[in-house]
Amino acid sequence: DAGVIQSPRHEVTEMGQEVTLRCKPISGHDYLFWYRQTMMRGLELLIYFNNNVPIDDSGMPEDRFSAKMPNASFSTLKIQPSEPRDSAVYFCASSSQGGDYEQYFGPGTRLTVT
Amino acid sequence: SQQGEEDPQALSIQEGENATMNCSYKTSINNLQWYRQNSGRGLVHLILIRSNEREKHSGRLRVTLDTSKKSSSLLITASRAADTASYFCATDERDDKIIFGKGTRLHILP
């Protein structure tokens, strides 16, 4: 298996632009997680899905952030409009047994908003 | 909310020495996990220890858990340059969520 796949790996955009991050989880994994990592705040859970259904989005910072999982093999995290404080590394992770078991992380997307 | 806190924040040791990192948490848990993150990469799961276990081994890794003190330690024996990374503990919370600490940055000196 190729593991969790994220695209793009790097994204540089200007403030106000829409940003879409993509994730393909490991086949057969029913749980998908989106995290954001910054030096100041560490690794934060933004939202997670079980069987394509959003279960907990309490970590989504504000309405500018949205996430979808239209099918078991694809999820997106969208920021519209983007702001400089959104600059971070965004990780997608998947799990077969739930969030409190082993999670497999993708390589991350480094987002820079200027 | 942050559950686990790693200590120390940074650690530098000579290659071949043992490295010990600690994690303290606040509320009761079902299990605790340790992850490694190499620079510029995603996190990699190392080991999971359940609340009814006191010690677990995986290769050169040894994890202990003391639920009475709400703490865990990760020991890496005979460290190698490739062990240079950040190490995170993660504790389970309700509803299938785990919370990561801010990590310990380990640097193995040649």
Side-chain angles (χ1 to χ4, degrees):
Chain A
D1 201 319
V4 176
I5 299 172
Q6 291 187 247
S7 65
R9 293 294 309 278
H10 302 273
E11 177 80 37
V12 180
T13 190
E14 292 183 346
M15 183 173 63
Q17 297 297 307
E18 177 179 296
V19 175
T20 299
L21 311 181
R22 297 173 176 79
C23 174
K24 177 179 169 55
I26 292 173
S27 177
H29 283 191
D30 296 328
Y31 290 81
L32 184 140
F33 306 84
W34 282 102
Y35 292 90
R36 177 173 69 176
Q37 187 177 39
T38 61
M39 288 296 294
M40 288 296 295
R41 301 176 66 88
L43 197 64
E44 303 173 279
L45 176 65
L46 300 177
I47 184 171
Y48 79 93
F49 296 81
N50 181 22
N51 291 320
N52 314 336
V53 176
I55 302 300
D56 187 336
D57 65 354
S58 60
M60 297 285 261
E62 46 197 277
D63 292 345
R64 297 184 297 106
F65 286 68
S66 62
K68 294 182 180 180
M69 192 165 186
N71 57 63
S73 59
F74 184 66
S75 177
T76 59
L77 178 68
K78 185 176 293 186
I79 308 172
Q80 166 64 17
S82 58
E83 296 182 3
R85 59 190 167 128
D86 302 331
S87 296
V89 181
Y90 291 80
F91 289 102
C92 175
S94 68
S95 173
S96 63
Q97 293 180 284
D100 53 352
Y101 289 86
E102 180 176 356
Q103 295 185 23
Y104 294 79
F105 280 73
T109 295
R110 181 173 296 277
L111 173 65
T112 303
V113 183
T114 60
Chain B
S1 62
Q2 187 158 329
Q3 170 77 301
E5 293 277 353
E6 292 90 344
D7 171 63
Q9 291 186 1
L11 178 63
S12 292
I13 61 172
Q14 294 293 138
E15 190 169 11
E17 293 181 341
N18 296 341
T20 299
M21 289 155 273
N22 303 296
C23 171
S24 59
Y25 57 93
K26 297 172 184 170
T27 62
S28 61
I29 60 171
N30 294 315
N31 61 54
L32 183 145
Q33 303 179 55
W34 284 91
Y35 286 78
R36 182 188 74 230
Q37 183 180 31
N38 292 90
S39 180
R41 310 286 287 271
L43 278 72
V44 174
H45 181 266
L46 296 176
I47 200 163
L48 180 152
I49 186 165
R50 303 189 187 285
S51 60
N52 61 355
E53 297 175 310
R54 291 295 167 259
E55 188 170 310
K56 205 163 182 179
H57 296 254
S58 177
R60 292 183 298 114
L61 305 180
R62 177 187 149 214
V63 168
T64 62
L65 179 64
D66 187 335
T67 53
S68 67
K69 295 182 179 178
K70 292 186 170 58
S71 68
S72 174
S73 67
L74 170 66
L75 168 68
I76 303 174
T77 60
S79 62
R80 305 167 181 170
D83 296 328
T84 293
S86 292
Y87 292 83
F88 297 86
C89 70
T91 48
D92 63 323
E93 223 178 67
R94 55 180 172 78
D95 300 335
D96 281 331
K97 289 161 54 172
I98 61 173
I99 306 296
F100 288 87
K102 288 200 172 181
T104 292
R105 295 187 308 280
L106 175 63
H107 186 205
I108 307 301
L109 303 168

